[in-house]
Amino acid sequence: MLGVGRETLCRPDSWDRRPLTVTEKTLPNNASGAVAAGKDRKGRTRDRQSAGSQEPASPQAEQQRDYADLKRLITQEGLLDKQLGFYVINVVLSLALLAASLVFLLVVGNFWLQLLNAAFLACVFGQWGFLGHDAGHRQIFNGAPRNDLFGLLPSLVLGLSRSWWIDTHNQHHVNPNDLDLDPHTALPILAFSEEQARSKRGLLRFLVGYQSFYFFPILLLEGIGIRMASVQYLLRAEVRQRALELSLIVVHVALYLGVVFYALSVGQAVVFILVHQGLYGLYFGSVFAPNHKGMPTLDSESQLDFVRRQVLTSRDVKAHPLTDFWYGGLNYQIEHHLFPSMPRNNLKRAQTIVRAFCEERSIPYRESGALESNIEILQFLHEVSAPAREARA
């Protein structure tokens, strides 16, 4: 079933699904890595209609071929080609912004200006987060090794586990908005369906009833939360580079605290850290929230082909040079989910192709303004949390 708030949209039972392989989780670089590449979502060989066949292709077969057809259009435009020059400029700019913030911290004595610097540094951290995200999707270089090596730099700058991010993010990409499988929908203090709201007990049920009021304020804790999740993951999971990633986090914490407490008094340093980490969490969380929150949710019974699974659960934020920079290209979320390895500076061109492709096939394509998307999120959270409020009435 595919639900939007209180409503449910039924999809044909003939649409099937299967778990994706590890290779597909890092997202396909060719059509064979997706649903439409010659096997159905359970790995069974699909019958192709031959060139002289008298029988029309079934709707299921047409839907399963959609991704191959769409990718052919994208490939013809060269939109999957790597854009190393773009990323060189992006890295140089991000390094310059980071250096400027650190120099300002060390040489400027006005504490109120330093609080502005803390807000600026939060935005700089966000830009480094986008670089880490892109490296995780192998958008920067061809092949895994160089992307993996480069990805260690954002991990150091941000104090995050690259392995934790990739593992969690891949699960999300394979199962977007799936209430059973997407880790981004498994948050104790939030409910993304009426069923989840009903399942809450005690204090959590009381809180979830008012989740639309605290959703954005709680993002102030996101920066701390993802660091804690990184460390927990490295200590508990099987991680190939556990020692290296833990070492990078330790070095990050040592350098971060060392510079801040060297430049400011103890009290000022504590305030600077709180402002910086809070705004970093708010920035990063608010960038990712419009991507899927308030869009249709799936469950283990959902049977959608790859294209519809990605398009129906995602939302684009209307393009503008400022939003493209602010969202790090993630405002083209539909295109990103369809082609995660596409360099972000090509997503805008891909949007024209994808939107027309969806219109031709009557696939709903959602694009909202930045403010509108956040209003939609809050309305959705308020609607699905109604059972938690009604239980106390």
Side-chain angles (χ1 to χ4, degrees), residues 178-204:
D178 190 315
L179 298 179
D180 297 324
L181 300 171
D182 185 352
H184 294 178
T185 66
L187 304 174
I189 58 173
L190 294 172
F192 298 105
S193 70
E194 292 186 351
E195 291 72 22
Q196 282 189 343
R198 291 189 188 97
S199 70
K200 305 296 183 182
R201 295 292 181 268
L203 179 60
L204 281 180

Side-chain angles (χ1 to χ4, degrees), residues 13-18 31 34-48 57-70 303-308 357 361:
D13 291 337
S14 60
W15 293 359
D16 215 344
R17 68 181 282 193
R18 65 169 171 79
V35 182
K39 292 183 180 295
D40 67 14
R41 295 186 72 84
K42 286 188 175 179
R44 300 171 298 204
T45 302
R46 291 203 308 270
D47 293 331
R48 297 283 188 175
S58 68
Q60 178 187 12
E62 291 293 341
Q63 290 157 1
Q64 291 174 332
R65 283 199 292 267
D66 279 345
Y67 186 75
D69 294 339
L70 176 57
Q303 297 178 338
L304 296 174
D305 67 291
F306 181 78
V307 171
R308 287 159 182 80
F357 187 90
R361 288 156 180 77

Side-chain angles (χ1 to χ4, degrees), residues 97-343:
L97 294 175
L98 179 62
S101 179
L102 294 178
V103 169
F104 192 92
L105 177 62
L106 292 171
V107 303
V108 175
N110 188 305
F111 179 61
W112 297 108
L113 292 178
Q114 290 298 351
L115 293 183
L116 293 178
N117 186 33
F120 173 75
L121 186 58
C123 295
V124 174
F125 268 39
Q127 296 302 314
W128 277 99
F130 299 142
L131 285 171
H133 170 270
D134 293 358
H137 282 301
R138 302 178 183 177
Q139 294 179 16
I140 303 175
F141 302 101
N142 287 310
R146 286 182 291 176
N147 283 292
D148 292 343
L149 180 61
F150 173 81
L152 296 175
L153 180 57
S155 295
L156 173 62
V157 172
L158 301 176
L160 292 176
S161 164
R162 171 176 168 77
S163 297
W164 164 79
W165 170 259
I166 290 177
D167 186 33
T168 304
H169 201 59
N170 283 343
Q171 291 179 53
H172 159 69
H173 265 267
V174 173
N175 308 287
N177 264 17
D178 190 315
L179 298 179
D180 297 324
L181 300 171
D182 185 352
H184 294 178
T185 66
L187 304 174
I189 58 173
L190 294 172
F192 298 105
S193 70
E194 292 186 351
E195 291 72 22
Q196 282 189 343
R198 291 189 188 97
S199 70
K200 305 296 183 182
R201 295 292 181 268
L203 179 60
L204 281 180
R205 169 169 281 200
F206 173 81
L207 291 174
V208 163
Y210 302 96
Q211 62 181 4
S212 60
F213 294 95
Y214 63 72
F215 176 74
F216 284 108
I218 207 169
L219 293 180
L220 292 166
L221 302 176
E222 179 73 3
I224 301 300
I226 57 180
R227 272 56 170 271
M228 293 176 60
S230 290
V231 174
Q232 290 173 352
Y233 179 88
L234 290 174
L235 295 178
R236 297 176 183 175
E238 292 291 332
V239 181
R240 183 167 56 90
Q241 296 181 319
R242 185 198 314 271
L244 174 60
E245 293 195 35
L246 282 172
S247 298
L248 290 177
I249 292 176
V250 170
V251 171
H252 165 85
V253 172
L255 290 175
Y256 180 82
L257 295 179
V259 171
V260 173
F261 279 95
Y262 173 80
L264 303 172
S265 68
V266 173
Q268 291 176 340
V270 170
V271 174
F272 181 94
I273 292 171
L274 290 175
V275 171
H276 171 234
Q277 296 297 331
L279 292 181
Y280 165 59
L282 180 62
Y283 175 35
F284 221 47
S286 63
V287 163
F288 279 89
N291 300 344
H292 305 281
K293 301 298 183 285
M295 295 302 292
T297 55
L298 312 176
D299 59 26
S300 58
E301 298 180 358
S302 302
Q303 297 178 338
L304 296 174
D305 67 291
F306 181 78
V307 171
R308 287 159 182 80
R309 174 175 296 274
Q310 303 301 332
V311 174
L312 292 172
T313 60
S314 303
R315 176 199 290 111
D316 277 13
V317 176
K318 290 182 180 178
H320 184 277
L322 180 59
T323 54
D324 288 359
F325 174 80
W326 187 256
Y327 285 85
L330 294 177
N331 50 314
Y332 303 102
Q333 190 65 195
I334 294 173
E335 291 70 28
H336 170 60
H337 260 253
L338 289 169
F339 302 100
S341 64
M342 181 184 293

